[in-house]
Amino acid sequence: MSASFRPDIEGLRALAVAGVIAFHFGLSGLPGGFAGVDIFFVISGYLITRHLVTEITETGRLNLWRFYARRARRLLPAALFVILATLFAGYFILSPEEQALYSKGAMFASAYMINLWLIRWSFDYFAADATNNPFIHFWSLSVEEQFYLAWPALLLAAAWLRPGKRAAIIVIGVAGAASFAACAWLTDVSQPWAFYFSPLRAWEFAAGGLATMAPAKIWRDRPLLATLQAGLGLALIAWAYLMLDEDSPFPGVNALAPVAGTVLLLLLSGSGGRNLPSAVLALPPMQWLGRLSYSLYLWHWPVIVYAAMVVPSLSILDRLACAALTLLLSMFTYHFIENPIRRNGWLMAGAARALVPAVALTGAGVVAAYGNARFAEHNLSPEQHVIADSAAQLSTVRASNGGCVLDFETVKPKPCMFGRKDAQRSVVLFGDSHADHWSTPLIKAAEKNDFRVVTFLKSSCRASRVTTWNWRLKRDYTECDQWREQSVKDIIALHPQLVVISEFSIGNVMKESPEELKHADWQAQWRTGLTWTLQAFSQAGIKVAVIRDVPYNASYADKCVARALWRGQTPATCDTPRIMAANDDIATIERDIVRSTPNAAYIDMTDRFCDQTTCHVFIDGKLAFRDRHHLATPFAETLEPAVERALFSDVMAAAVK
């Protein structure tokens, strides 16, 4: 073992990977365990900077080939092994369409660029559920690899400007400060960029790099200071694990806690480990777990993702079994792949001996993933094609002009017109994406009755006057409030014969919201908000119809049905009990509010999806939902007669009377 080996760093790795696994395995007591990745980033910045600066200081140069060869031996073989094994297991678990999709993730993971792919994916409102992607955790490894490419050049530039630590501190400090400022700003403005884009995570590596510059003598003769500092470092990490959650704005300012905590612990290089927190990190179990941390990180995510697909409701015992399987796979990978290759004498003898196989391994991963995608596409049966096409088909509004459903940031309403422009009568469709998925049958029904349709639609923005939390912006959705107020004014000025409202109901909002956001008075706020919206139109003499929200399914219908068909099961395995899906109690409240409002009607089509006990996702040979709660457009088309009868035969006829 190297004389510079620090057991407390191995213990920090154990702490980091334990937090990540606990979070991903659903240990609710550590909702911020994902911050373990930030600990890894700081450790990498510390170790790599210390190594590179030492070499530059001692030799005046930097052997980049040897540096990259060492990284390749350490990281590539185990990563490729896990990628290939995950692709193989996916054949038996994933539907062919998913195999093809996630093989693209494997391609980008093999090339250490999956973080860039995920940025694009994050901005697609209807993209496949990211939590089903068995390769998504490779994003952090991609960020690290990209750091390894850029960081040596930065340190060489600092040495070229002025030899010594002072120039390195200035260069690293400036780069880190700029990175943090941009990261903090974009966390509120465009969180996927702040989370996945490596230059915006560079400040965490820089923090570790700056820790290498501190004089060790400060702590050598101050054991009390070292103990207090180590305790504070662990406390900051504990705060991040216990107080943050996936709905916290992150990374940004919140990432300072785990980063600062890790830096405080790394600074104790001169204390000789003579403090209790460092001694705890150096305990044999922590050392053992730290040595396995890389393999554990690689394996834990595909294990829990595939397990949840096979057993949708994992019990505590199921999760413990997954943890045991992760540990066994990690031990095998560490002892038979990771460690033997890293310490192979022949590969260590020259940089080229490691780099040439590394390039070959990277290419092999990309080729294997591409080949797997083509093989999966070949396995798509006609039934699988129908499912995929149904889920992919856009609503009439989105197919005509995707800009008609506004994004999260836009606040100015954008009315879009459909049907005959010279029609004398008009219907307004008002709401979020749950209003949009009714646009297909509504527009057809309106055309038959000589109405034009004008849409006022905004993603995740309910027509009811209630402020909600936006899961993507990680804050209150104030843009929605502004858009709603102006839209109501514009609709009243337009004075249509009918306003049709549908929205992601408050019952479904509460299902998706974390516990701390489930306010006791939410239902009261929602009642007031729905009443305000209905009365605004009613008092203006405009007829308004509320279409009850669709059921909220336990699984992503398109993925679940496709998997069921691939495994020889019936689509009924994807159905959800009505008591869990239909929000009957919320519908009763809605119905009462509508009945108490003049010029208002309530349209309930739940019987199209549910019987007395079960809500179905595959109806009359068609996929009913594209995900958990959006109608599949081909099925929505079949609802046109019911929509026409409910709105134009019943509601409008009643209005005439």
Side-chain angles (χ1 to χ4, degrees):
M1 187 173 292
S2 170
S4 62
F5 174 76
R6 286 182 55 184
D8 59 318
I9 291 181
E10 204 75 276
L12 268 175
R13 287 194 176 107
L15 191 64
V17 78
V20 172
I21 293 176
F23 170 72
H24 286 152
F25 276 42
L27 183 60
S28 58
L30 292 177
F34 56 84
V37 170
D38 302 82
I39 298 175
F40 278 126
F41 287 165
V42 178
I43 292 173
S44 292
Y46 179 87
L47 294 176
I48 296 304
T49 303
R50 185 177 67 175
H51 168 77
L52 295 176
V53 169
T54 299
E55 183 175 346
I56 293 172
T57 302
E58 292 179 353
T59 67
R61 55 189 294 274
L62 191 59
N63 190 329
L64 290 176
W65 297 118
R66 186 173 61 188
F67 169 74
Y68 292 127
R70 188 182 299 111
R71 294 292 89 204
R73 292 198 313 271
R74 172 76 173 87
L75 301 174
L76 277 175
L80 180 62
F81 176 68
V82 173
I83 288 172
L84 295 179
T86 303
L87 287 172
F88 177 76
Y91 174 83
F92 303 97
I93 298 172
L94 301 168
S95 69
E97 186 200 11
E98 288 177 302
Q99 293 172 37
L101 172 64
Y102 297 138
S103 291
K104 295 179 182 178
M107 288 174 58
F108 284 99
S110 298
Y112 289 101
M113 292 191 298
I114 194 171
N115 60 320
L116 304 178
W117 185 55
L118 290 170
I119 290 172
R120 179 181 178 185
W121 192 345
S122 298
F123 287 104
D124 184 352
Y125 183 80
F126 286 110
D129 179 27
T131 59
N132 281 335
N133 184 343
F135 301 100
I136 193 173
H137 64 312
F138 274 86
W139 76 267
S140 63
L141 302 179
S142 297
V143 169
E144 285 214 23
E145 284 297 316
Q146 291 158 23
F147 162 75
Y148 296 149
L149 290 175
W151 205 245
L154 188 71
L155 295 179
L156 282 172
W160 177 77
L161 289 172
R162 182 176 180 178
K165 285 187 177 181
R166 181 173 297 180
I169 291 173
I170 293 173
V171 170
I172 294 174
V174 170
S179 172
F180 174 74
C183 179
W185 174 64
L186 277 171
T187 296
D188 291 330
V189 175
S190 185
Q191 193 258 356
W193 279 98
F195 194 90
Y196 289 122
F197 194 42
S198 52
L200 302 182
R201 289 293 193 125
W203 68 273
E204 301 184 36
F205 296 95
L210 288 174
T212 67
M213 308 294 176
K217 63 181 180 181
I218 293 177
W219 295 272
R220 186 172 299 128
D221 300 319
R222 295 179 175 86
L224 179 59
L225 173 62
T227 299
L228 292 174
Q229 183 170 313
L232 177 59
L234 288 178
L236 286 170
I237 293 172
W239 181 89
Y241 280 10
L242 295 171
M243 303 306 295
L244 297 177
D245 59 41
E246 57 188 322
D247 287 292
S248 302
F250 199 86
V253 174
N254 280 325
L256 282 172
V259 170
T262 307
V263 167
L264 288 175
L265 290 163
L266 291 173
L267 284 172
L268 301 176
S269 59
S271 69
R274 297 191 302 272
N275 61 80
L276 181 59
S278 295
V280 171
L281 291 174
L283 289 173
M286 298 294 283
Q287 299 300 292
W288 178 73
L289 197 63
R291 285 192 293 272
L292 292 176
S293 60
Y294 180 55
S295 291
L296 284 166
Y297 184 83
L298 290 173
W299 277 115
H300 83 282
W301 184 245
V303 167
I304 195 64
V305 166
Y306 283 163
M309 291 178 181
V310 176
V311 183
S313 298
L314 291 171
S315 66
I316 293 177
L317 289 178
D318 293 331
R319 294 177 189 276
L320 289 174
C322 289
L325 177 59
T326 299
L327 186 59
L328 289 173
L329 291 170
S330 300
M331 291 172 64
F332 174 84
T333 305
Y334 176 78
H335 289 292
F336 294 99
I337 297 174
E338 181 185 340
N339 224 27
I341 294 178
R342 178 173 56 168
R343 302 187 185 282
N344 182 276
W346 187 86
L347 292 174
M348 294 172 66
R353 292 187 181 186
L355 288 175
V356 171
V359 173
L361 285 175
T362 300
V366 172
V367 170
Y370 178 82
N372 195 70
R374 299 287 78 77
F375 180 68
E377 291 171 355
H378 177 75
N379 286 332
L380 279 169
S381 65
E383 294 82 3
Q384 296 280 350
H385 273 295
V386 169
I387 299 299
D389 293 343
S390 295
Q393 187 173 330
L394 300 175
S395 69
T396 298
V397 169
R398 289 182 183 272
S400 174
N401 183 349
C404 289
V405 182
L406 300 185
D407 58 25
F408 297 123
E409 290 80 11
T410 303
V411 298
K412 183 180 179 181
K414 180 181 179 180
C416 293
M417 188 179 300
F418 298 87
R420 285 178 49 194
K421 294 182 179 180
D422 60 347
Q424 298 302 307
R425 299 177 295 177
S426 62
V427 174
V428 165
L429 179 61
F430 178 42
D432 53 18
S433 60
H434 280 222
D436 171 56
H437 65 200
W438 289 106
S439 68
T440 299
L442 174 61
I443 290 171
K444 285 188 177 181
E447 288 176 346
K448 286 183 179 180
N449 289 270
D450 200 27
F451 279 76
R452 70 177 183 272
V453 175
V454 183
T455 63
F456 286 78
L457 303 170
K458 181 173 173 64
S459 292
S460 298
C461 186
R462 272 143 286 285
S464 298
R465 194 189 203 188
V466 57
T467 299
T468 56
W469 175 267
N470 186 280
W471 59 274
R472 187 164 291 175
L473 298 176
K474 307 295 184 185
R475 56 176 172 78
D476 284 345
Y477 197 6
T478 55
E479 291 88 346
C480 172
D481 297 337
Q482 298 175 55
W483 171 84
R484 184 193 305 111
E485 296 292 318
Q486 188 59 49
S487 292
V488 170
K489 293 177 183 178
D490 291 351
I491 293 169
I492 291 174
L494 188 64
H495 205 80
Q497 277 65 44
L498 174 66
V499 174
V500 178
I501 290 174
S502 190
E503 61 186 9
F504 193 51
S505 75
I506 192 65
N508 291 334
V509 171
M510 292 175 70
K511 288 178 184 177
E512 282 203 338
S513 300
E515 290 297 326
E516 62 270 20
L517 294 177
K518 294 180 180 178
H519 308 304
D521 61 344
W522 252 21
Q523 280 205 23
Q525 292 179 23
W526 163 72
R527 286 172 187 248
T528 302
L530 177 59
T531 301
W532 179 88
T533 300
L534 295 180
Q535 289 183 349
F537 296 126
S538 175
Q539 292 172 2
I542 301 172
K543 189 75 176 177
V544 59
V546 177
I547 301 180
R548 177 180 173 177
D549 197 14
V550 298
Y552 187 95
N553 301 290
S555 61
Y556 282 72
D558 56 329
K559 302 296 182 294
C560 185
V561 171
R563 287 179 208 145
L565 294 174
W566 176 244
R567 299 171 191 165
Q569 300 170 326
T570 65
T573 60
C574 303
D575 293 343
T576 305
R578 178 174 179 136
I579 193 172
M580 295 172 57
N583 292 307
D584 287 327
D585 54 339
I586 296 296
T588 299
I589 298 172
E590 286 180 339
R591 191 177 286 107
D592 291 341
I593 294 172
V594 171
R595 284 175 178 171
S596 66
T597 305
N599 295 323
Y602 194 67
I603 311 300
D604 188 347
M605 297 191 187
T606 307
D607 61 351
R608 299 280 173 170
F609 312 98
C610 310
D611 53 35
Q612 292 300 312
T613 61
T614 307
C615 293
H616 308 283
V617 298
F618 199 74
I619 303 170
D620 297 332
K622 288 184 178 293
L623 182 72
F625 297 89
R626 65 184 302 162
D627 48 30
R628 295 183 75 174
H629 49 76
H630 289 96
L631 292 178
T633 298
F635 180 78
E637 290 173 346
T638 69
L639 300 176
E640 183 269 327
V643 170
E644 181 182 11
R645 183 168 57 254
L647 293 177
F648 298 98
S649 297
D650 296 342
V651 174
M652 292 307 301
V656 172
K657 293 178 182 178

